[in-house]
């Protein structure tokens, strides 16, 4: 790896206020906050990093943050591997998100985002948790071996799930609260 971003008293890397740029081939770990925060319309590319063992989320996208987050290993973070909220809309492609102390990916408070071709596994809660008007698009992800459901939708969650492999999760492939079912599209998922 080119650089190590570790041991910070807060976030390891903060990308904000419409900033762009590429963050590649870094080890981002052991920070007291999140490994990476993307907010305020920032639109970076995070590629081929290891983001692990942070006290908060591995990657936290909020306040209209965007970005392409691809081919990273995001693991062993104290909160979710990736948190998406408040109109953030990142694209996650080809990441491995695993061994989180909570959920693999948590989309809430009107967070959005596109998750394609990720492996989300072995997290202490659901692989993907969607609540409070979170509305992501999940396509062709392998969401397996999590300690709760593969995908859990509750508390006004929404979403589009297509072609995902949701087998082998401890509490089943998917759990959608009956009140949220009209707002969730399911197509050709393996359960």
């Amino acid at each position: 790896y080119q650089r190590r971003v570790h041991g910070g008293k807060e976030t390891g890397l903060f990308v904000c206020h419409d900033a762009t740029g590429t963050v590649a081939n870094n080890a981002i770990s052991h920070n007291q906050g999140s490994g990476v925060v993307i907010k305020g319309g920032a639109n970076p590319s995070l590629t081929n990093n290891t983001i692990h063992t942070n006290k908060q989320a591995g990657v936290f996208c909020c306040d209209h943050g965007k970005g392409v987050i691809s081919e990273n290993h995001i693991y062993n973070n104290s909160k979710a591997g990736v948190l998406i909220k408040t109109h953030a809309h990142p694209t996650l492609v080809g990441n491995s998100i695993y061994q989180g102390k909570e959920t693999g990916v948590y989309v809430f408070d009107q967070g959005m985002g596109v998750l394609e071709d990720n492996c989300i596994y072995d997290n202490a809660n659901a692989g993907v948790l969607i609540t409070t008007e979170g509305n992501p698009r999940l396509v062709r992800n392998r969401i397996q071996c999590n300690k709760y459901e593969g995908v859990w939708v509750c508390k006004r969650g929404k979403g589009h799930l297509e072609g995902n492999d949701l087998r082998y999760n401890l509490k089943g492939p998917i759990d959608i609260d009956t009140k949220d079912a009209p707002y969730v599209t399911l197509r050709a998922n393996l359960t």
Side-chain angles (χ1 to χ4, degrees):
Y1 290 95
Q2 292 180 346
R3 289 187 175 75
R4 290 179 50 200
V5 180
H6 70 284
K9 295 194 184 300
E10 287 292 331
T11 295
L13 178 65
F14 204 112
V15 187
C16 62
H17 304 301
D18 299 313
T20 60
T22 299
V23 178
N25 305 311
N26 297 286
I28 302 169
S29 68
H30 297 91
N31 296 290
Q32 295 301 307
S34 294
V36 179
V37 171
I38 301 169
K39 69 181 287 185
N43 192 15
S45 172
L46 273 66
T47 303
N48 198 36
N49 300 287
T50 61
I51 302 169
H52 67 92
T53 320
N54 295 288
K55 294 287 184 189
Q56 298 293 322
V59 179
F60 181 23
C61 301
C62 61
D63 303 331
H64 300 275
K66 300 177 208 120
V68 176
I69 301 164
S70 63
E71 305 298 328
N72 299 286
H73 284 268
I74 302 170
Y75 63 95
N76 196 39
N77 293 288
S78 294
K79 300 292 182 184
V82 179
L83 282 173
I84 303 170
K85 69 180 265 188
T86 54
H87 303 282
H89 200 305
T91 299
L92 283 70
V93 179
N95 299 287
S96 293
I97 302 169
Y98 56 99
Q99 296 175 348
K101 307 291 187 221
E102 292 184 1
T103 235
V105 178
Y106 184 16
V107 186
F108 63 113
D109 288 349
Q110 299 179 331
M112 296 172 281
V114 177
L115 286 71
E116 290 185 1
D117 300 312
N118 299 287
C119 293
I120 303 169
Y121 63 95
D122 195 27
N123 293 287
N125 201 304
V128 178
L129 175 59
I130 306 167
T131 69
T132 55
E133 297 182 23
N135 191 8
R137 182 176 179 85
L138 282 66
V139 180
R140 294 183 313 274
N141 298 286
R142 189 170 54 112
I143 305 171
Q144 299 179 328
C145 302
N146 295 287
K147 304 301 187 275
Y148 281 66
E149 298 83 1
V151 177
W152 184 11
V153 183
C154 60
K155 300 177 187 172
R156 300 182 333 273
K158 305 174 184 178
H160 178 98
L161 286 72
E162 185 171 345
N164 299 288
D165 188 341
L166 305 175
R167 298 175 295 172
Y168 315 120
N169 293 286
L170 190 61
K171 292 192 175 183
I174 189 163
D175 183 2
I176 301 172
D177 187 285
T178 54
K179 293 177 185 174
D180 299 321
Y183 308 103
V184 179
T185 301
L186 300 172
R187 291 196 181 126
N189 296 289
L190 287 174
T191 57

